[in-house]
Structure formats: structure tokens, C-alpha cells
Amino acid sequence: MTLAQIETRADREAAAAKIYRHAGLTVDRLGEHIGARLGGVRLGGDLPAEQVEAIRLALAIHKVVVFTEQHHLDGGRGGKPAQYQEFTSTEFETLHPVVRVHPETGERALLLGHFAKSFPDLSSTEFHSLFQLLQARITRLENTFRWHWRLGDVAIWDNRATQHYGIADYGDQERELHRITLAGDIPVNVDGSPSRPLTGDASHYSEVTPAKRLDFFA
């Protein structure tokens, strides 16, 4: 890291800390590149605007944020939405950029994961070799974050900059997951070209509003 990069990072961290203090939010960095624990907030639908923006900024910077002691959100077991069966029974295939530009930060990230099946114009052998090379960089220890769950924990991760993998380390205990997936923006590559659907159309599930660059990263 150059001196200019160090100075820029220090300036940004100081600016972010000021925003967090104004919102009454505490942010504890848990990893060098990814992961933070947020405190001083009780999650719900009536959060002040300054807290919403501070949380949004923390997520953009740290990519994964965790809230603890949020027991009031435990509403019991919920049913699956009506469109769940339709969504899981429909085949979707999309041509995504391998390197996408994050719409809120401008950072570049590898868009891979176990859903990736092929690269255009490459054979299956070539795809797997290149995929493993790139995926290995994503899963390097310094680029990963692992959380040991407790009652009342809530985690939010940015699918535009991360991959999620649930580890089967709970033995014969029951694992109950309350998960919400939000409709996001359409990925674009470094040249501004968007992802292109090849099979299936999910546009009717939710209106996709283009995300804007955060002022912090402008």
C-alpha cells in the first residue's frame, strides 16, 4: 500500500467514524478486509434516517455487518412466500461479468461462486482451471469472515461484494434460518455493460431501482 493510499484510507476512516458517532452507532472492525460488529442500535422499521445511512455506509465499507442482542426480532416460524415454489421450479441462466463494479462504492469485485457454470468461449477444462484460480483468491483467509451465531444475532452481507457459505457444523441439532433476500441492481462490468438474461425472466418479482454511488465514495 502506498503512502497516498494509507492517507486516503485514514481520511476515510476518520470521516466514517464521524458519521457513526453522529448516528450513535458503534462499529468494531473484525477483519482487515471484511466484517464488522455494529452496536448502539435496535433494529426495526422506525430507525432514524441518520442511523439507516450510517448502517448503509458500514455495510458498504465492511461488506458484512453483524448486530447482536436483537431478540425482539424473533417472530417465530414463518411460512414461505407464495411465489417460492414458482421461483425454485423455474430455470434461470444469466451471462454475468466476472468482474463487476459495485454501484455504491465503485470498487471492483469478482462475481463467481458455485452458481458459475461456464465462461464464454472456454472449454469445460479451461473454465474449471480459471474458476479455481479466481475462486481461491476470494476464499483466502484474509478475505473471509466467519461468525459464531448466538440468539439475537442478525447478519447482513452485501451479495454485490461477497459470497455466503453456510458451514454444516451443527451436528444433529436443528438449524432454523430466517433469511431475507433483497432485489438488487443489475451487475455491470468495468466498461458499463450489464448482465444479460439467457434463460428465464425474473423481472416481474420485483422492480429493480438502479443504485447510486454513496457520497462517501464520490
Side-chain angles (χ1 to χ4, degrees), residues 96-99 109-116 118-119 127 130-136 138 162-163:
H96 286 302
V98 175
V99 179
L110 292 170
L111 181 59
L112 291 171
H114 68 278
F115 288 111
S118 64
F119 292 148
F127 161 72
L130 183 55
F131 173 83
Q132 293 297 334
L133 176 67
L134 297 175
Q135 185 70 9
I138 295 173
T162 64
Q163 294 179 20

Coordinates of all heavy atoms in Angstrom, one line a residue, residues 96-99 109-116 118-119 127 130-136 138 162-163:
H96 N -23.2 -13.1 -16.7 CA -22.7 -12.0 -15.8 C -21.3 -11.7 -16.1 O -20.5 -12.5 -16.5 CB -22.8 -12.5 -14.3 CG -24.2 -12.6 -13.7 ND1 -25.0 -11.5 -13.6 CD2 -24.8 -13.6 -13.2 CE1 -26.1 -11.9 -13.1 NE2 -26.1 -13.2 -12.8
P97 N -20.9 -10.4 -15.7 CA -19.5 -10.1 -15.8 C -18.7 -10.8 -14.7 O -19.2 -11.0 -13.6 CB -19.5 -8.6 -15.6 CG -20.7 -8.3 -14.8 CD -21.7 -9.3 -15.3
V98 N -17.5 -11.3 -15.0 CA -16.7 -11.9 -14.0 C -16.2 -10.9 -13.0 O -16.2 -11.1 -11.8 CB -15.5 -12.6 -14.6 CG1 -14.5 -13.2 -13.5 CG2 -16.0 -13.7 -15.5
V99 N -15.9 -9.7 -13.5 CA -15.5 -8.6 -12.6 C -16.6 -7.5 -12.7 O -16.9 -7.0 -13.8 CB -14.2 -7.9 -13.0 CG1 -13.9 -6.7 -12.1 CG2 -13.1 -9.0 -13.0
A109 N -15.2 -6.2 -7.9 CA -15.2 -7.5 -7.2 C -15.4 -8.6 -8.2 O -16.0 -8.4 -9.3 CB -16.4 -7.5 -6.2
L110 N -14.9 -9.8 -7.8 CA -15.1 -11.0 -8.7 C -16.5 -11.5 -8.4 O -16.9 -11.7 -7.2 CB -14.1 -12.0 -8.3 CG -12.7 -11.7 -8.7 CD1 -11.7 -12.7 -8.1 CD2 -12.5 -11.7 -10.3
L111 N -17.3 -11.8 -9.5 CA -18.6 -12.3 -9.3 C -18.6 -13.7 -9.7 O -18.8 -14.1 -10.9 CB -19.6 -11.5 -10.3 CG -21.1 -11.8 -10.3 CD1 -21.6 -11.7 -8.9 CD2 -21.8 -11.0 -11.2
L112 N -18.4 -14.6 -8.7 CA -18.3 -16.0 -9.0 C -19.2 -16.8 -8.1 O -20.4 -16.6 -8.0 CB -16.8 -16.5 -8.9 CG -15.9 -15.9 -10.0 CD1 -14.4 -16.2 -9.7 CD2 -16.3 -16.5 -11.4
G113 N -18.6 -17.8 -7.4 CA -19.4 -18.7 -6.5 C -19.9 -19.9 -7.2 O -19.6 -20.1 -8.4
H114 N -20.5 -20.8 -6.5 CA -20.8 -22.1 -7.0 C -21.9 -22.1 -8.1 O -22.2 -23.1 -8.7 CB -21.3 -23.1 -5.9 CG -22.6 -22.7 -5.2 ND1 -22.7 -21.8 -4.2 CD2 -23.8 -23.2 -5.4 CE1 -23.9 -21.7 -3.9 NE2 -24.6 -22.5 -4.5
F115 N -22.6 -21.0 -8.3 CA -23.6 -20.9 -9.3 C -22.9 -20.7 -10.7 O -23.6 -20.9 -11.7 CB -24.6 -19.7 -9.1 CG -25.5 -20.0 -8.0 CD1 -25.4 -19.3 -6.8 CD2 -26.5 -20.9 -8.1 CE1 -26.3 -19.5 -5.7 CE2 -27.4 -21.2 -7.1 CZ -27.3 -20.4 -5.9
A116 N -21.7 -20.3 -10.7 CA -21.0 -20.1 -12.0 C -20.8 -21.5 -12.7 O -20.3 -22.4 -12.1 CB -19.6 -19.4 -11.8
S118 N -19.9 -21.7 -16.5 CA -19.0 -21.7 -17.6 C -18.6 -20.3 -17.9 O -19.2 -19.3 -17.4 CB -19.7 -22.3 -18.9 OG -20.8 -21.5 -19.2
F119 N -17.5 -20.2 -18.7 CA -17.0 -18.9 -19.3 C -17.2 -19.0 -20.8 O -16.8 -20.0 -21.4 CB -15.6 -18.6 -18.9 CG -15.3 -18.4 -17.4 CD1 -14.1 -18.8 -16.9 CD2 -16.3 -17.8 -16.6 CE1 -13.8 -18.6 -15.5 CE2 -16.0 -17.5 -15.3 CZ -14.8 -17.9 -14.7
F127 N -12.5 -23.6 -18.2 CA -13.3 -22.9 -17.2 C -13.0 -23.3 -15.8 O -12.8 -22.5 -14.9 CB -14.8 -23.2 -17.5 CG -15.7 -22.9 -16.3 CD1 -16.0 -21.6 -15.9 CD2 -16.2 -24.0 -15.6 CE1 -16.8 -21.4 -14.8 CE2 -17.0 -23.7 -14.5 CZ -17.3 -22.4 -14.1
L130 N -9.5 -21.9 -14.6 CA -9.6 -20.5 -14.4 C -10.5 -20.1 -13.2 O -10.2 -19.3 -12.3 CB -10.1 -19.7 -15.6 CG -10.1 -18.2 -15.5 CD1 -8.8 -17.6 -15.1 CD2 -10.6 -17.6 -16.9
F131 N -11.6 -20.9 -13.1 CA -12.5 -20.6 -12.0 C -11.8 -20.9 -10.6 O -12.0 -20.1 -9.7 CB -13.8 -21.5 -12.1 CG -14.7 -21.5 -10.9 CD1 -15.6 -20.5 -10.8 CD2 -14.6 -22.5 -9.9 CE1 -16.5 -20.5 -9.7 CE2 -15.5 -22.4 -8.9 CZ -16.4 -21.4 -8.7
Q132 N -11.1 -22.0 -10.5 CA -10.5 -22.4 -9.3 C -9.4 -21.3 -8.9 O -9.2 -21.0 -7.7 CB -9.8 -23.8 -9.4 CG -10.8 -24.9 -9.5 CD -11.7 -25.0 -8.3 OE1 -11.3 -24.6 -7.2 NE2 -12.9 -25.6 -8.4
L133 N -8.7 -20.8 -9.9 CA -7.7 -19.8 -9.7 C -8.3 -18.5 -9.1 O -7.8 -18.0 -8.1 CB -7.0 -19.5 -11.0 CG -5.9 -18.3 -10.9 CD1 -4.7 -18.8 -10.0 CD2 -5.4 -18.0 -12.3
L134 N -9.4 -18.1 -9.7 CA -10.1 -16.9 -9.2 C -10.8 -17.1 -7.9 O -10.7 -16.2 -7.0 CB -11.0 -16.4 -10.3 CG -10.4 -16.0 -11.6 CD1 -11.5 -15.6 -12.6 CD2 -9.5 -14.8 -11.4
Q135 N -11.5 -18.2 -7.8 CA -12.2 -18.5 -6.6 C -11.3 -18.7 -5.4 O -11.6 -18.3 -4.2 CB -13.0 -19.8 -6.7 CG -13.9 -20.1 -5.6 CD -15.1 -19.2 -5.4 OE1 -15.4 -18.4 -6.3 NE2 -15.9 -19.3 -4.3
A136 N -10.1 -19.2 -5.6 CA -9.1 -19.3 -4.5 C -8.7 -18.0 -3.9 O -8.4 -17.8 -2.7 CB -7.9 -20.0 -5.0
I138 N -10.7 -15.4 -3.8 CA -11.9 -14.9 -3.0 C -11.9 -15.6 -1.6 O -12.2 -14.9 -0.6 CB -13.2 -15.3 -3.7 CG1 -13.3 -14.5 -5.0 CG2 -14.4 -15.0 -2.8 CD1 -14.5 -14.9 -5.9
T162 N -19.7 -10.0 -1.9 CA -19.3 -11.1 -1.0 C -19.9 -12.4 -1.6 O -20.8 -12.4 -2.4 CB -19.8 -11.0 0.4 OG1 -21.2 -10.9 0.5 CG2 -19.2 -9.7 1.0
Q163 N -19.5 -13.5 -1.0 CA -20.2 -14.8 -1.2 C -20.5 -15.4 0.2 O -19.8 -15.1 1.1 CB -19.2 -15.8 -1.9 CG -18.9 -15.5 -3.3 CD -18.0 -16.5 -4.0 OE1 -17.9 -17.7 -3.5 NE2 -17.3 -16.1 -5.0

